Each structure stands twice: as structure tokens, then as C-alpha cells.
Amino acid sequence: MSDRMEGDRTGGARAGGEGSALPGRCAEVVDAFARHLRSERGRSAHTVRAYLGDIRHLLAHLGEQGIEELPETRLADLRSWLGAQADAGAARSTLARRAAAARTFFTWAEHTGRMPADPSLRLVAPKRTRTLPGVLKQAEADELLDLAAVRADDQDPVHHRDRAILELLYASGIRVGELAALDVDDIDMGQRTVRVMGKGGKERVVPFGLPAGRALEQWLTVRGRLVRPGSGPALFLGRRGHRVDPRQVRAVVHELLSHLPDAPDLGPHGLRHSAATHLLEGGADLRMVQELLGHASLATTQIYTHVSVDRLRQSYQQAHPRA
């Protein structure tokens, strides 16, 4: 930030609380941006909340710098916002998300005539560190599903449900939120496919194998024992007849994995990672896996190739006499 900007904006923030005016004046803009994210961009409720939180954080920072009108914002102001967070110890993933939110906001503001120019065009954040996702070994996945099948032998409908949930998560690689939102008629038992509503309201059809099909058939034969008035068409129900939510599904996965002492403690997303990794290890095409998982970008799917190479390297080091 230049000396002139330092003096004007810091002084404005100190004198009479002018710096706090911006967030209040921008309430209408934030509301309009929220409508844009929901209706035009089709963002999920979770993404909208995250983006709005980031933008409110940014507007508060701008207000503290004495910026009273949105068009006064400059690239240096956005960089100082990210820099202050970095100095406070914010994770690189947080900085990357907030930079993305700022770029989306200011691009929209320019296109809608609220800004004369987009100050975020050259805004960059530290690249995210891509860590390898935790995955089960194929033998561990088999053991987990065998455990769920054995537990379902007691004829408790919830245990049949749990088995079907695990089989479907691993067979299809769908997200936990996608699974919880499934209705009965989203399952095509004849074709062994499931119709999924993914991120951004994008629908896709995902195949599943015979073991998942058998588990789903058994669950559907006992599902009626949990149906209550108001259950509706939800595929998976809790004991009180309500649609299961992602939290319940996570609890099921964690609880069953706790019985496998050597397996990593993963949630439903770990089963998604495992499914993708095992498909690639089995020779599946990367673009096919991209379609299966519902990734918008192939770059997102490519992280699973690193998982497979890492497994290959470990096996080589353990087995090769000259490793």
C-alpha cells in the first residue's frame, strides 16, 4: 500500500469510526451476491455460507482501512487482507479459499456495474498443499464390508441399512451428502445404477456392483419396518423413520472401522477416496473415474494417481531386494 493510502485510510479508520461504515453500506450488495451464488451459480448452501463469511470478513477489513465505498478497493487492499491473515497463522487452504471468494465477488461486482474495474484480477494466494487422502487397502475394505454383513445377520433393520450404506459408498464413490439425499426411486436395481444430484445441481448416474445390489435389495425388504408417517421417499431411514443425515452416516463408518485395529480411522469420504484409488489400481481410465466421482476438473481426480503411485512405491520398497 502506498504512503498516501496508508495515511488516508488508516487515519480515516482512526477518526470517528468512519472505517466501520463499509460493511453496513454493503449489506444490499452482499445479499445480491448471495442470490447470485444460489440461483445463477447453483452453489450449495455450505459453499454460499463459506463465501459470504469470507466476503464479510473482507469488507470488515476494508472498513478498518478507512475504505467507505466498494469501488475504492484496490489490489493492494486485497493483498493486505490476505497478508494480515497469513501473519495471524491462517492455513494456506483458508487463504486460497478466501482469495477465490474475493475473485468471484469482485468479478460479479464488475459485471453487475457495482465496480468500475475488477481489482482482484492479479490476486493470488499461496498454493494449497495437496496431501494424499487416507485410503483403505483393498483387504481392509473387504474386511469392513464383511463385518457389516455379519452384523446384519441379527435381522436388525438398521444393521441391514448400515451394510447397504457402506456397500453403496464404496461401490459408487458418491459423497455422503449425495447418499443421504437419495430417494428410493433413485435406485435402478435392474441396471444397478444410482441417480445422484451432485454439486451445483448436476445430476449423474453411477453404476454399482452385485454386492452393493444384494445389500440394497435386503435393506429394501426391511425398510418398511422403519417407515413412519412423514418418512417420505427417503432411501435410508433412521430408527425414528426420518431420513438419515450425513452425521449419522459418518458415525456408522467410524464405528465399524473401529473394529479393524490396523485400518485408518476414515469417514465416508475415506470410502470415496478408497473407491477411486482401487479403481485406478485395477486399471480404470482416469476420465471414467472423474465421471464416477462427479469432479468438474480432471485435475481434482488426478490426486488419486499419486495415491496409487505411493502404494506402488511402498510395495516396491518392501518387496524388491535392491529397493
Side-chain angles (χ1 to χ4, degrees):
M1 188 178 289
S2 69
D3 292 340
R4 180 187 63 79
M5 291 167 63
E6 286 280 1
D8 290 350
R9 293 180 177 173
T10 304
R14 289 173 180 167
E18 283 294 318
S20 63
L22 180 62
R25 292 181 184 180
C26 287
E28 180 275 330
V29 177
V30 173
D31 289 343
F33 181 57
R35 291 192 295 273
H36 164 73
L37 291 175
R38 294 189 190 101
S39 61
E40 297 178 35
R41 297 288 293 273
R43 299 298 188 185
S44 69
H46 174 77
T47 299
V48 172
R49 281 195 303 272
Y51 269 38
L52 295 184
D54 293 339
I55 296 307
R56 291 189 182 106
H57 189 278
L58 168 59
L59 294 177
H61 173 84
L62 296 177
E64 290 168 0
Q65 299 304 308
I67 301 174
E68 298 184 14
E69 300 294 339
L70 195 62
E72 298 176 19
T73 308
R74 305 176 188 181
L75 177 60
D77 303 316
L78 302 181
R79 286 173 172 167
S80 76
W81 173 58
L82 292 179
Q85 296 173 71
D87 291 343
R92 287 197 289 183
S93 58
T94 299
L95 296 177
R97 190 199 70 223
R98 288 194 160 173
R103 287 192 295 269
T104 300
F105 174 72
F106 283 108
T107 299
W108 166 81
E110 182 190 19
H111 287 170
T112 56
R114 292 173 168 86
M115 295 282 293
D118 182 356
S120 70
L121 290 176
R122 291 187 289 122
L123 181 66
V124 295
K127 290 185 177 179
R128 297 187 186 197
T129 303
R130 287 220 151 183
T131 55
L132 296 178
V135 295
L136 298 173
K137 297 175 182 176
Q138 292 188 33
E140 291 170 338
D142 289 341
E143 191 174 356
L144 174 67
L145 297 172
D146 286 345
L147 175 62
V150 169
R151 195 163 73 162
D153 286 342
D154 65 2
Q155 299 307 309
D156 184 334
V158 168
H159 291 166
H160 279 289
R161 180 206 67 188
D162 294 347
R163 180 194 177 195
I165 283 174
L166 264 69
E167 286 280 7
L168 187 57
L169 283 172
Y170 180 63
S172 63
I174 62 176
R175 300 176 179 93
V176 62
E178 295 169 344
L179 177 130
L182 291 176
D183 291 337
V184 172
D185 62 2
D186 289 324
I187 298 290
D188 185 332
M189 298 302 298
Q191 297 294 320
R192 290 207 306 274
T193 59
V194 56
R195 184 175 65 243
V196 178
M197 188 63 68
K199 289 185 175 181
K202 295 179 180 178
E203 184 179 288
R204 68 187 190 279
V205 176
V206 181
F208 55 82
L210 279 169
R214 286 193 291 265
L216 283 165
E217 285 177 346
Q218 291 171 2
W219 155 242
L220 289 172
T221 63
V222 299
R223 175 183 174 275
R225 291 161 57 185
L226 296 180
V227 171
R228 303 288 185 273
S231 292
L235 176 61
F236 294 114
L237 303 172
R239 286 198 184 277
R240 296 182 181 179
H242 301 302
R243 180 186 296 273
V244 297
D245 60 35
R247 177 184 53 80
Q248 291 172 288
V249 177
R250 291 188 188 97
V252 168
V253 176
H254 283 296
E255 195 274 324
L256 281 166
L257 274 173
S258 70
H259 297 286
L260 305 182
D262 296 326
D265 182 21
L266 305 176
H269 215 66
L271 293 183
R272 175 174 163 88
H273 292 322
S274 301
T277 302
H278 298 166
L279 278 167
L280 289 169
E281 289 177 342
D285 177 74
L286 188 63
R287 289 199 177 275
M288 184 275 284
V289 177
Q290 177 192 4
E291 290 293 324
L292 188 79
L293 299 180
H295 286 159
S297 168
L298 189 63
T300 308
T301 315
Q302 283 175 331
I303 189 172
Y304 296 108
T305 64
H306 299 306
V307 174
S308 296
V309 170
D310 187 55
R311 284 275 185 84
L312 181 61
R313 185 181 296 111
Q314 290 177 11
S315 298
Y316 179 88
Q317 290 173 342
Q318 291 172 4
H320 198 285
R322 295 179 68 83

